[in-house]
Amino acid sequence: MTVAVWLGVAVLGGVGAVLRFLVDRTVSHRLSGAFPSGIFVVNISGALVLGLLAGLELGPTAALLAGVALLGAYTTFSTWMLQTLELGADRRIGLAIANIVVSLALGIAAAALGMWIGTRL
């Protein structure tokens, strides 16, 4: 792996993290409430784009940079799980279950849609 690829991973990882912050903050501000809508939108949109990239069948370096660096930093499993745990701790069991079920269902659907679109481009 070249130095340029390593730098690309670092830069795109930073870009992905900043994008996650901006999208989460914007969505959470507009859709305030108990449901963690910001991270939900981040994860579903990330699944859609990653599915699209998989459908495009990028080469290994492009897949590393776009999928692992950019989208890996953009999406966030740990925040999703922590927010779900916090909903449970706040006795909002219905919202916690909805966060898990809806995130999984729509995440898989978004990834499949993205892959379908990618294979047709």
Side-chain angles (χ1 to χ4, degrees):
M1 194 175 318
T2 66
V3 172
V5 172
W6 279 96
L7 289 173
V9 169
V11 169
L12 289 172
V15 169
V18 170
L19 286 172
R20 176 181 66 224
F21 171 75
L22 293 173
V23 171
D24 176 33
R25 185 173 177 178
T26 300
V27 171
S28 295
H29 179 70
R30 292 189 180 167
L31 300 174
S32 61
F35 189 79
S37 54
I39 292 301
F40 176 79
V41 168
V42 164
N43 287 336
I44 300 306
S45 62
L48 176 70
V49 174
L50 191 56
L52 175 72
L53 295 175
L56 292 173
E57 297 181 3
L58 302 175
T61 300
L64 170 72
L65 293 173
V68 175
L70 180 65
L71 291 171
Y74 174 70
T75 59
T76 175
F77 183 80
S78 57
T79 302
W80 172 45
M81 290 297 98
L82 180 61
Q83 289 176 332
T84 302
L85 182 64
E86 288 171 345
L87 286 170
D90 290 343
R91 298 181 189 264
R92 296 173 182 238
I93 304 303
L95 284 177
I97 291 169
N99 194 30
I100 293 168
V101 171
V102 174
S103 292
L104 286 173
L106 288 183
I108 291 168
L113 175 62
M115 186 177 278
W116 181 81
I117 292 168
T119 59
R120 280 146 182 80
L121 293 178

